[in-house]
Amino acid sequence: MHERNWNALLVVIISAILWGAYGVQFFEHEQPCVLCLLQRLGMISVAFGALLNLKFGIQRSHYGISLVAAIFGGFVALRQIALHVCPGFSIFGKPVLGLSLYTWSFIIFASSIGYISLLMIFCNDKKETKMEKKWLGYFAFCSLFLVTAANIFTTLWQCGLGDCE
Amino acid sequence: MNSGESMVAVLFLLMTLAIAMIYSGKRKMAITIFVIALACCCFLLFHVATNDLKINW
């Protein structure tokens, strides 16, 4: 599989995680806090770098964008973990598969850094490669665009122009 | 705007715009919008981390 397809796969996986977060929000009735929304923004930013690779070809600067975003998101997740790590403090929200959502979020950001690093190590194609599976690229674009646009409305619905409740 | 939290919706809007710019082939514009959004994210994180959100700023 070409490097662009691996990038498309990263975007699809991140979109699926963000749609999953919507599932928890609406089916489990868990309203996201500001830090949770910042983590969503971090994930979108990681996918943004991969989208740049999809559209404009593989460049190190695009991977750099994704890595900076992953470090930012990981820092936000760590901050939220630190808020609830002391004994006697309950976790925020219902756990999913035994871990809180912000712990999963940290794992996702750490995995993204590992994934991008592996791509940079093993897939340094010098020649411009074409997308093998164009449908995967279109699907990645549409899915990420829709989930990001949906977040505008749900955040406005939840927070309005004031504090998030 | 009452507080920094209301900025989050604007940040999602900026990200959506940046993705749309990628699709339309405007790389520099997309990266510029993205950098502005990420800088705002860092600014908001700073305010959340310092528990400064209750102050109207």
Side-chain angles (χ1 to χ4, degrees):
Chain A
M1 202 156 80
H2 287 306
E3 196 167 352
R4 279 190 176 181
N5 295 319
W6 287 113
N7 279 278
L9 190 65
L10 177 65
V11 178
V12 169
I13 290 169
I14 287 177
S15 303
I17 290 164
L18 289 167
W19 286 117
Y22 262 134
V24 174
Q25 181 175 342
F26 289 109
F27 295 114
E28 300 279 335
H29 304 290
E30 291 284 344
Q31 294 301 318
C33 58
V34 182
L35 286 173
C36 309
L37 292 172
L38 277 174
Q39 284 159 47
R40 285 187 191 181
L41 278 164
M43 286 182 200
I44 292 167
S45 304
V46 172
F48 178 86
L51 273 188
L52 283 171
N53 274 333
L54 274 182
K55 180 75 179 177
F56 301 107
I58 306 296
Q59 289 184 30
R60 271 190 303 178
S61 57
H62 299 159
Y63 282 130
I65 286 173
S66 289
L67 285 176
V68 167
I71 290 167
F72 167 79
F75 185 79
V76 177
L78 265 184
R79 156 80 189 167
Q80 197 166 7
I81 290 169
L83 286 175
H84 302 278
V85 78
C86 293
F89 285 85
S90 59
I91 65 166
F92 180 83
K94 289 176 190 168
V96 175
L97 299 174
L99 294 176
S100 57
L101 282 178
Y102 43 86
T103 309
W104 279 118
S105 177
F106 180 74
I107 292 168
I108 289 159
F109 284 118
S111 306
S112 305
I113 291 172
Y115 185 91
I116 294 163
S117 306
L118 285 174
L119 281 183
M120 291 179 85
I121 292 166
F122 291 110
C123 296
N124 47 357
D125 294 339
K126 294 290 180 198
K127 62 180 184 297
E128 187 71 19
T129 54
K130 285 183 179 175
M131 280 284 291
E132 275 176 336
K133 297 166 183 156
K134 279 196 171 178
W135 61 268
L136 186 64
Y138 286 122
F139 179 70
F141 252 111
C142 292
S143 184
L144 190 75
F145 182 80
L146 284 177
V147 80
T148 313
N151 267 292
I152 301 170
F153 299 107
T154 51
T155 308
L156 273 177
W157 174 57
Q158 183 197 347
C159 307
L161 290 176
D163 293 350
C164 294
E165 296 294 337
Chain B
M1 288 187 183
N2 295 327
S3 76
E5 293 181 43
S6 53
M7 209 164 82
V8 182
V10 179
L11 295 180
F12 279 116
L13 179 66
L14 284 176
M15 285 294 180
T16 312
L17 269 177
I19 293 168
M21 288 295 156
I22 294 178
Y23 193 77
S24 56
K26 294 172 181 168
R27 181 176 176 271
K28 276 190 180 176
M29 182 70 86
I31 292 177
T32 306
I33 294 171
F34 172 78
V35 168
I36 292 168
L38 199 64
C40 292
C41 285
C42 294
F43 182 64
L44 184 57
L45 175 65
F46 173 77
H47 273 273
V48 173
T50 52
N51 292 321
D52 227 4
L53 279 169
K54 297 298 172 191
I55 301 169
N56 291 331
W57 46 276

